[in-house]
Amino acid sequence: MVEFPEQAEAAKLEHRLSLRFEPEKVTGPGQFHRATIDPMSPATLSPDALSTDAPGNDTLAGIHVPLITPFAADGTVAATSLEGLAHAVLDAGTRGIVALGTTAEPASLTADEKHTVIEVCVRVCRERGATLILGAGSHDTRATAAALAELAHLPHVTAALVPVPYFTRPQAAGVLAHFTSLAAASPVPLIVYHVPYRTAQPLSAACLRALGALPGVVGMKYAAGGVDEQAVELLGDLPEDFAVLAGDDLFVSPLLALGAAGGILASAHLAIESFVELAAAWHAGEATRARNLGHRLTALSAALFSEPNPTVLKGVLHAQGRIPTADVRLPLVPASRATVDAALDRLAEL
């Protein structure tokens, strides 16, 4: 079999990761106990770059809701409805919210609209003492670093949710170099958004573990479209103070069963208390209760994701009177009435 140079380099990197990424103690109050080895550079990162109040596994544990962006009839952001949604999910026991995640349609929002969303979410989380995760970044390292630098002006942001580079599809060494660079300079801790069916970047468990061992990386939103071998390996040997959050709503229950700390779930706009109960049941080791509830919630999530997210979810929220319209922005189009009705039926059956 012919082996191309890039494949050979990737194989070498994977071997290096398996040998070199052993956790290393980082001393100091509130700092992470993480490996400080950067495989891309002979220099090691200084612990001084770490936030002294960075979140750990406990802070990120539980259910976080990636809020939609509701639109008014005139097409503007319905800020009052957004604030109501934020309070509602926190009232029901979620750990926190995610602003400007993919569910919020951030690619279609203007800079002013993004500012409005952030302003609302920061205010609510500050009032409620809730965790706020902010979606940030792209496949360009310098642009992502610039976006993260702006978060220094937002002291109430718990962490930034940053995607694995998409479209350019760097090799594993490039992915690690990308996050090493970002984490060293970011004013807030990072949560890696691993979503290979969107990034075309399947990463090995060794690479995922290496990302989790980087100083300044506190968690990973794991959305691989299922429970794969890499998830099992990663959750079986997690870096210290590193939280895996389920990112595929249909697979939150099995990932929690394997040891995920919680989830970032669009479905948890609905049946909020049930998703919170699901996480609590798995954490308490109540497998029978968790398994039965998980099956019912999976049916709801399947209905909500039967058309592109967040089209069905917005249809349901509008039918409930919680947002003024079910509008989404092109290239998305509203979900069909039949699909929305089917999701409402699943919700009623819970």
Side-chain angles (χ1 to χ4, degrees):
M1 182 178 68
V2 178
E3 182 175 64
F4 294 97
E6 183 174 295
Q7 293 174 317
E9 281 303 307
K12 290 177 185 176
L13 173 68
E14 297 301 322
H15 179 65
R16 288 166 60 198
L17 291 177
S18 67
L19 295 176
R20 296 181 62 185
F21 268 86
E22 295 297 330
E24 191 170 275
K25 297 295 181 182
V26 179
T27 59
Q31 293 179 350
F32 296 107
H33 302 297
R34 295 293 180 77
T36 56
I37 299 171
D38 173 7
M40 302 297 106
S41 166
T44 57
L45 296 176
S46 169
D48 294 336
L50 299 177
S51 167
T52 58
D53 59 352
N57 199 322
D58 290 342
T59 303
L60 295 178
I63 302 300
H64 307 259
V65 179
L67 292 178
I68 64 157
T69 303
F71 298 122
D74 63 0
T76 60
V77 172
T80 300
S81 294
L82 177 64
E83 185 166 353
L85 289 173
H87 279 294
V89 299
L90 294 174
D91 286 342
T94 58
R95 175 55 64 93
I97 59 177
V98 180
L100 300 180
T102 50
T103 301
E105 303 170 74
S108 67
L109 300 179
T110 67
D112 286 344
E113 289 172 333
K114 290 178 182 179
H115 178 77
T116 296
V117 170
I118 293 171
E119 185 179 57
V120 168
C121 293
V122 166
R123 182 172 66 251
V124 171
C125 288
R126 182 177 62 238
E127 292 173 0
R128 304 294 299 272
T131 296
L132 174 59
I133 299 169
L134 186 63
S138 68
H139 61 298
D140 176 62
T141 305
R142 288 189 297 178
T144 301
L148 291 171
E150 293 297 316
L151 302 186
H153 306 297
L154 298 172
H156 296 283
V157 174
T158 307
L161 180 64
V162 180
V164 170
Y166 48 88
F167 194 74
T168 49
R169 298 189 301 168
Q171 64 270 52
V175 174
L176 284 165
H178 174 77
F179 280 102
T180 298
S181 175
L182 295 177
S186 176
V188 300
L190 305 183
I191 297 173
V192 176
Y193 186 8
H194 178 49
V195 53
Y197 53 84
R198 293 188 184 273
T199 64
Q201 281 288 74
L203 300 173
S204 69
C207 183
L208 297 175
R209 194 175 296 114
L211 289 169
L214 290 174
V217 173
V218 295
M220 177 175 293
K221 179 181 178 183
Y222 197 92
V227 181
D228 56 9
E229 180 181 351
Q230 285 67 42
V232 174
E233 286 190 36
L234 175 63
L235 288 164
D237 185 19
L238 286 173
E240 192 172 356
D241 296 325
F242 177 72
V244 172
L245 300 172
D248 281 310
D249 296 38
L250 273 69
F251 303 105
V252 59
S253 188
L255 285 172
L256 286 168
L258 287 170
I264 296 177
L265 308 172
S267 300
H269 282 81
L270 311 170
I272 310 166
E273 293 90 346
S274 294
F275 280 102
V276 172
E277 181 186 353
L278 176 69
W282 278 120
H283 290 161
E286 299 174 3
T288 300
R289 181 164 69 98
R291 190 181 301 115
N292 291 337
L293 183 56
H295 286 314
R296 298 199 303 274
L297 289 172
T298 295
L300 171 63
S301 294
L304 291 172
F305 282 81
S306 59
E307 293 190 38
N309 187 50
T311 61
V312 183
L313 175 58
K314 279 191 163 184
V316 172
L317 291 170
H318 177 54
Q320 293 179 325
R322 296 172 64 189
I323 57 176
T325 72
D327 293 349
V328 289
R329 287 185 175 167
L330 291 171
L332 293 175
V333 295
S336 68
R337 184 67 216 183
T339 302
V340 173
D341 287 343
L344 286 165
D345 288 342
R346 298 292 82 74
L347 183 60
E349 292 170 358
L350 281 176

